[in-house]
Amino acid sequence: MISESSSFMKGLMIGGLFCAVVTMLGHVKTIHEPRAHHEHHHIQAPKKEDVLKLSEAERLELSRGIRVYCLILVKPKELSHWAAVKETWSKHCDKADFFSSENVKVFNSISTETADAWQMMRKALQHAYEKYKDSYNWFFMVRPTTFAVIENLKYFLFKKDAAQPFYIGQAMKSGELEYVDMAGGIVLSVESLRRLHTVMKDPEKCPEQAGMIWKLSEDKQLAVCLKYAGVFAENAEDSDGKDVFNAKSVETLIKEAMESSPQQVVEGCCSDMAVTFTETSANHMHVLMYGVYRLRAYGHTFNDALVFLPPSGSDND
């Protein structure tokens, strides 16, 4: 009996190990089987002098054509950040929706009925495409700890064709996988979202559940699905080559600039056309809102080539 029990346990352990190895190999295949090799591009914002070459009518038409739908993925415990985003920068989106893991009485939100980060992201993007693919051409997805300057995002997107598969933000690399870091925000053109919506229907290429052995973060899982749709991560930069999507806070970036280039703190810190900063406290969002939108240097004129007005009906700025 003891011998039979011992043999049974050995067989069970070997069988379990075999299943784990098969699962692991299958997952590795999912991650590392791209259609073609791709190194992310460095996509830059337009130069002011190039924008000024356009007629005023052309600039107005192009600026009005940029329609941004914001998806903010939140959790019930993030109430202070939720409130801060709702009261500050999200009012500058053409439309903003909060997607929560569950219904919260104090805020209007769309419940994804799951706390799993990847499944929340999938459901939010599916909702965005199915409901708004004909109303908005750019889809901006962030967490509530991110502060965003929507006008700078629109300037970056100026003259970019949303009918092309753009997938933009701060591009990172993990092994062979290139992805856009969710911490700094992710931008998808309507074409990239259309392709994603199609590939999501294929569980082999874009599974609802993350791998059993190696659970990818939601931004990496998104990149895996997009690769099968022929959409690749692109790094967003200003016309001087500085990142405009930041996966760090303003304080952290300034501190790093002071340590690395104390003589050029301002120039070494951040782009003048920065779109996002993350790791932002709820109170600091109001401080940034004051500095970005309300504080004015009397008599100083920026002579901007474009004007992006807040959405009609917005009660902010």
Side-chain angles (χ1 to χ4, degrees):
M1 291 293 292
I2 295 176
S3 176
E4 290 179 0
S5 175
S6 175
S7 297
F8 173 77
M9 291 302 295
K10 287 180 179 178
L12 188 64
M13 291 175 64
I14 292 171
L17 181 60
F18 176 76
C19 290
V21 170
V22 170
T23 302
M24 179 179 67
L25 291 175
H27 191 77
V28 169
K29 182 179 179 182
T30 300
I31 297 175
H32 297 294
E33 190 180 10
R35 291 186 175 184
H37 180 71
H38 174 83
E39 288 289 344
H40 66 254
H41 299 144
H42 296 260
I43 299 180
Q44 294 191 340
K47 294 182 179 180
K48 182 178 178 180
E49 51 267 32
D50 292 333
V51 175
L52 288 172
K53 291 177 182 177
L54 301 173
S55 69
E56 188 173 345
E58 288 175 313
R59 280 181 268 161
L60 182 61
E61 182 180 359
L62 286 169
S63 63
R64 285 178 174 173
I66 302 171
R67 301 273 294 163
V68 176
Y69 175 65
C70 298
L71 305 84
I72 302 102
L73 308 186
V74 298
K75 296 178 181 178
K77 66 179 181 180
E78 299 170 323
L79 288 178
S80 60
H81 278 94
W82 193 337
V85 171
K86 187 176 179 64
E87 294 168 2
T88 58
W89 66 263
S90 68
K91 294 181 179 181
H92 289 247
C93 302
D94 291 294
K95 181 174 176 59
D97 277 328
F98 291 82
F99 293 84
S100 175
S101 55
E102 60 186 72
N103 286 316
V104 178
K105 292 181 179 179
V106 294
F107 290 114
N108 291 325
S109 65
I110 299 168
S111 176
T112 60
E113 299 179 347
T114 177
D116 180 83
W118 167 233
Q119 291 186 41
M120 280 185 68
M121 181 182 282
R122 277 181 65 104
K123 290 186 176 184
L125 290 170
Q126 285 174 327
H127 174 90
Y129 180 76
E130 290 168 4
K131 191 167 184 179
Y132 296 117
K133 64 180 181 294
D134 297 322
S135 303
Y136 304 94
N137 49 7
W138 297 97
F139 297 81
F140 175 48
M141 184 168 54
V142 291
R143 295 180 184 138
T145 51
T146 299
F147 183 90
V149 184
I150 298 301
E151 290 79 6
N152 285 0
L153 171 59
K154 288 187 173 184
Y155 181 77
F156 177 82
L157 297 173
F158 188 71
K159 292 193 73 177
K160 291 178 174 58
D161 186 0
Q164 297 299 316
F166 282 105
Y167 163 45
I168 304 167
Q170 187 174 74
M172 309 290 285
K173 194 167 185 178
S174 177
E176 295 299 314
L177 181 67
E178 295 171 355
Y179 67 99
V180 172
D181 193 342
M182 179 62 177
I186 296 172
V187 177
L188 298 166
S189 67
V190 67
E191 171 59 17
S192 63
L193 192 57
R194 183 194 67 77
R195 295 189 186 191
L196 176 65
H197 189 262
T198 300
V199 82
M200 278 182 178
K201 298 174 184 177
D202 187 340
E204 292 294 320
K205 296 178 179 178
C206 189
E208 287 190 36
Q209 300 288 340
M212 292 176 62
I213 296 179
W214 294 315
K215 187 177 176 68
L216 294 178
S217 61
E218 68 273 28
D219 47 11
K220 293 178 183 177
Q221 187 63 60
L222 175 64
V224 170
C225 296
L226 285 169
K227 284 179 75 173
Y228 280 108
V231 183
F232 302 96
E234 313 290 3
N235 195 66
E237 302 169 356
D238 65 14
S239 57
D240 294 322
K242 293 181 182 177
D243 288 338
V244 294
F245 289 80
N246 296 292
K248 296 179 180 179
S249 67
V250 176
E251 298 97 321
T252 299
L253 291 167
I254 291 175
K255 182 179 179 181
E256 290 178 353
M258 291 178 68
E259 293 173 350
S260 61
S261 53
Q263 305 303 319
Q264 294 182 314
V265 174
V266 176
E267 294 82 356
C269 164
C270 324
S271 169
D272 292 346
M273 298 302 297
V275 174
T276 63
F277 297 100
T278 193
E279 300 175 0
T280 309
S281 70
N283 288 337
H284 197 200
M285 285 202 183
H286 291 280
V287 174
L288 285 172
M289 199 69 186
Y290 170 74
V292 171
Y293 288 104
R294 301 193 183 103
L295 180 63
R296 298 289 184 266
Y298 185 77
H300 181 79
T301 303
F302 285 100
N303 294 317
D304 290 332
L306 295 169
V307 175
F308 297 108
L309 298 175
S312 177
S314 171
D315 60 355
N316 201 65
D317 311 298

